[in-house]
Amino acid sequence: MSAPQIVLSWSDWFSLFGHYLMLSLMSVGGAISTTSEMHRYLVEQHHWLTQAQFNNAIALAQAAPGPNVLFVALMGWQVGMNAGSTGAAFLGVTVTMLGILIPSTVLTYFAAQWGHRNRDLRAVRAFKQGMAPVVIALLLSTSWILGSASQHLATDWPLWLLTVASGLVIWRTKLHLLWILAGGAMLGWLQLV
């Protein structure tokens, strides 16, 4: 599928920035936990990215060394390139990265200091334990969006089998994630998934 040609006004750029500011405050399990909302906004609602561009941004950032939040920059870059210029691509990177980083960074800084000072309070311990299912649900929604990209759920069983097997290996072993990524890449290269 070819990349869409889009026209973005300044209000669209501000809307994109505001959306990533909001997502930043929701990214309890990291920016990757909000990809389902990014997908809804960028792919389904505005059609600023194709499904393939969305998946490629996440896959490339996860495979590359460095922080995995770089997938946000890649999405901003793709939105800008779809708008027609390298200058717009740099604007997309700036808008999305500042939006996803500023609120969560400030909140984390102050909340971590407060939480450390009050770590023995029952409410603090309960909050930490209560957030675990929320983070797991957000990550499961992300895997569903990425796994159902081809829209052929009946024929994608090898991909789902690999997903479940990878999850079990991560859960039950101490195997480094890069080995799992390499195994997935090899199966993809052999066109088995």
Side-chain angles (χ1 to χ4, degrees):
M1 177 180 282
S2 64
Q5 295 296 313
I6 59 175
V7 177
L8 296 178
S9 66
W10 282 109
S11 67
D12 291 327
W13 287 112
F14 282 115
S15 174
L16 181 63
F17 180 64
H19 196 75
Y20 273 82
L21 286 174
M22 183 265 307
L23 289 176
S24 178
L25 293 174
M26 291 176 50
S27 59
V28 176
I32 195 75
S33 66
T34 60
T35 52
S36 58
E37 177 55 25
M38 291 179 197
H39 181 271
R40 187 198 62 78
Y41 186 80
L42 296 173
V43 178
E44 296 174 9
Q45 183 178 348
H46 292 288
H47 307 287
W48 290 342
L49 290 181
T50 64
Q51 180 71 49
Q53 289 176 320
F54 186 85
N55 284 5
N56 290 342
I58 293 175
L60 184 59
Q62 296 303 308
N68 69 2
V69 74
L70 292 178
F71 77 90
V72 173
L74 289 173
M75 288 179 187
W77 177 268
Q78 288 294 342
V79 168
M81 290 304 289
N82 291 343
S85 71
T86 305
F90 280 111
L91 179 61
V93 170
T94 303
V95 164
T96 55
M97 286 303 286
L98 288 178
I100 203 72
L101 290 176
I102 290 173
S104 59
T105 302
V106 172
L107 180 64
T108 300
Y109 177 76
F110 289 109
Q113 287 183 334
W114 184 87
H116 185 70
R117 281 194 308 269
N118 299 290
R119 62 185 173 275
D120 295 327
L121 291 177
R122 185 177 189 174
V124 171
R125 288 183 288 142
F127 177 79
K128 288 180 178 178
Q129 290 178 351
M131 289 308 294
V134 173
V135 171
I136 291 170
L138 289 170
L139 292 175
L140 287 174
S141 70
T142 299
S143 66
W144 176 259
I145 286 174
L146 294 176
S148 60
S150 70
Q151 307 293 323
H152 304 290
L153 297 179
T155 59
D156 287 343
W157 65 266
L159 177 63
W160 290 104
L161 181 62
L162 177 63
T163 302
V164 170
S166 298
L168 290 173
V169 168
I170 292 169
W171 178 37
R172 302 302 294 177
T173 70
K174 302 227 181 261
L175 186 65
H176 198 278
L177 289 177
L178 288 179
W179 288 111
I180 298 169
L181 284 171
M186 180 64 73
L187 292 173
W189 183 61
L190 295 172
Q191 298 183 347
L192 295 174
V193 290

